[in-house]
Amino acid sequence: MASIDNSLNDSEVQKHLNELENVPNEEELEKKLEKWNKFGFNVSSWMKYLFNNDSGEEFKAEWLSIDEYKRLAEESMQDAWRVVHAPSWKLEKRGAQKGDIVESTQTEKFGKVYLFTGIVDCPAKFLYSEFRDNLTRLPDWNPTILKSELIKEVGPGVDLSYQVTAGGGRGIIAPRDFVILRRTAQLSSDGKVTDDTPSSFICSGVSVTVPGYPPHRDMVRGHNKVGCWFLTPKLVQTPNGKVEQTVFQWLMCCDLKGKIPQFVLDAAFATVMLDYIVHVRAFAASCKAKGMF
């Protein structure tokens, strides 16, 4: 948790934080922060404190039953599938590669959610298998993930993991850690788990608390409300015949804690998603060069 100048009493700090919570743009944010520079705390330091100040809630956790974990995992997967297929999305940002977009929509259950869509030049089943089976190897090729640890396998397609994500905003938003209950599955066109030829593949995740993994004292514990990687096979005709690509979609609805204005979150999430796909494509290209698919 971030610290602040001890010349300010608690009531002064809280009053100022309340003023900053709903600022509409960067100009207004900096204007309000500048008022407090008389305490020798500059704009950058104020933003770091504001964005990385957690609630300090007491950590409590207990193991759930296998059946309860499976139920929660299935529910989060179905939530993610429904949100991905929501009818109306608003464009947030276009990527450098043609077709890459980040969109958002408001949901009744989760609030604002974000969705990246782009094409990856590899079979969807290959990419799905990598995400499903090699969770702990993600940091090897993806610098946006600093740590990925398997806590426990709950059952087929259900596990618990611990992850640390890199910070952003030139150091303003600090790294976050998460404990995730994950569900991986092959899906039919109506979102049902299938052993037959799938219409799509999903790796969904929702935050939980488990014993032995309290929030790190030097890090803010994030909360994943709903999210998934949703992979759909796409056949493309090339001069050498038909090849399979992946329509790669990443659904994100994450509470980073701290008092981060919405305009900052919009920019941060869009940037993270567009950075992430660069690493996915580089990984796929490396695997293709090695003849892995």
Side-chain angles (χ1 to χ4, degrees):
M1 175 172 154
S3 61
I4 199 167
D5 189 337
N6 59 16
S7 66
L8 306 179
N9 62 48
D10 290 343
S11 63
E12 286 178 311
V13 170
Q14 192 57 53
K15 177 184 176 182
H16 193 49
L17 292 180
N18 292 339
E19 288 178 1
L20 297 170
E21 196 165 5
N22 297 308
V23 292
N25 53 54
E26 186 172 0
E27 182 180 356
E28 185 66 20
L29 177 64
E30 292 198 5
K31 189 183 300 182
K32 287 184 176 292
L33 291 173
E34 285 287 0
K35 294 192 306 182
W36 287 67
N37 282 353
K38 60 185 178 181
F39 293 98
F41 218 62
N42 62 30
V43 170
S44 176
S45 296
W46 264 114
M47 290 174 74
K48 286 181 182 179
Y49 175 76
L50 179 70
F51 296 172
N52 304 301
N53 186 37
D54 64 18
S55 62
E57 295 177 1
E58 182 182 358
F59 175 73
K60 295 179 181 179
E62 60 182 8
W63 293 109
L64 304 180
S65 68
I66 297 297
D67 286 344
E68 185 67 6
Y69 281 126
K70 288 180 177 179
R71 184 191 67 78
L72 289 173
E74 197 71 24
E75 181 181 302
S76 71
M77 182 184 73
Q78 291 301 323
D79 280 340
W81 187 89
R82 282 191 292 269
V83 176
V84 167
H85 291 85
S88 58
W89 293 86
K90 172 189 173 184
L91 179 67
E92 289 281 343
K93 191 173 182 179
R94 294 188 185 277
Q97 182 158 320
K98 184 178 179 181
D100 284 2
I101 57 172
V102 177
E103 301 170 290
S104 67
T105 191
Q106 287 286 343
T107 65
E108 184 176 347
K109 185 172 183 179
F110 303 109
K112 190 168 187 176
V113 298
Y114 301 82
L115 181 68
F116 168 84
T117 302
I119 299 295
V120 179
D121 187 19
C122 77
K125 187 172 184 178
F126 173 83
L127 201 54
Y128 166 71
S129 297
E130 181 65 28
F131 286 144
R132 180 192 62 194
D133 301 334
N134 295 319
L135 175 74
T136 58
R137 296 184 193 172
L138 287 176
D140 293 347
W141 57 268
N142 195 329
T144 67
I145 300 176
L146 303 181
K147 185 174 185 179
S148 185
E149 175 185 336
L150 180 65
I151 298 174
K152 182 178 182 180
E153 291 186 0
V154 176
V158 182
D159 59 40
L160 291 160
S161 66
Y162 174 75
Q163 296 190 0
V164 179
T165 60
R170 298 179 183 178
I172 295 296
I173 298 178
R176 262 50 173 178
D177 68 345
F178 299 83
V179 175
I180 299 293
L181 173 64
R182 193 174 65 136
R183 177 72 167 103
T184 58
Q186 300 184 156
L187 300 180
S188 61
S189 59
D190 59 353
K192 305 299 182 185
V193 177
T194 181
D195 291 326
D196 298 329
T197 302
S199 171
S200 59
F201 304 86
I202 193 169
C203 299
S204 65
V206 64
S207 282
V208 292
T209 57
V210 299
Y213 286 83
H216 195 281
R217 65 187 183 92
D218 296 325
M219 210 173 295
V220 178
R221 173 63 52 87
H223 180 80
N224 199 44
K225 299 179 184 179
V226 66
C228 71
W229 291 316
F230 191 73
L231 314 173
T232 306
K234 179 182 181 180
L235 283 178
V236 178
Q237 184 66 50
T238 72
N240 298 320
K242 289 186 177 180
V243 297
E244 184 182 317
Q245 295 180 331
T246 299
V247 180
F248 181 93
Q249 293 180 287
W250 179 12
L251 175 71
M252 180 192 291
C253 182
C254 180
D255 182 358
L256 295 179
K257 304 300 183 179
K259 292 181 179 291
I260 307 179
Q262 188 62 50
F263 79 91
V264 175
L265 290 175
D266 290 340
F269 287 143
T271 299
V272 165
M273 289 175 142
L274 293 171
D275 286 348
Y276 192 93
I277 194 62
V278 171
H279 304 302
V280 174
R281 287 183 176 129
F283 172 75
S286 173
C287 292
K288 185 176 182 178
K290 296 173 184 175
M292 296 173 68
F293 61 83

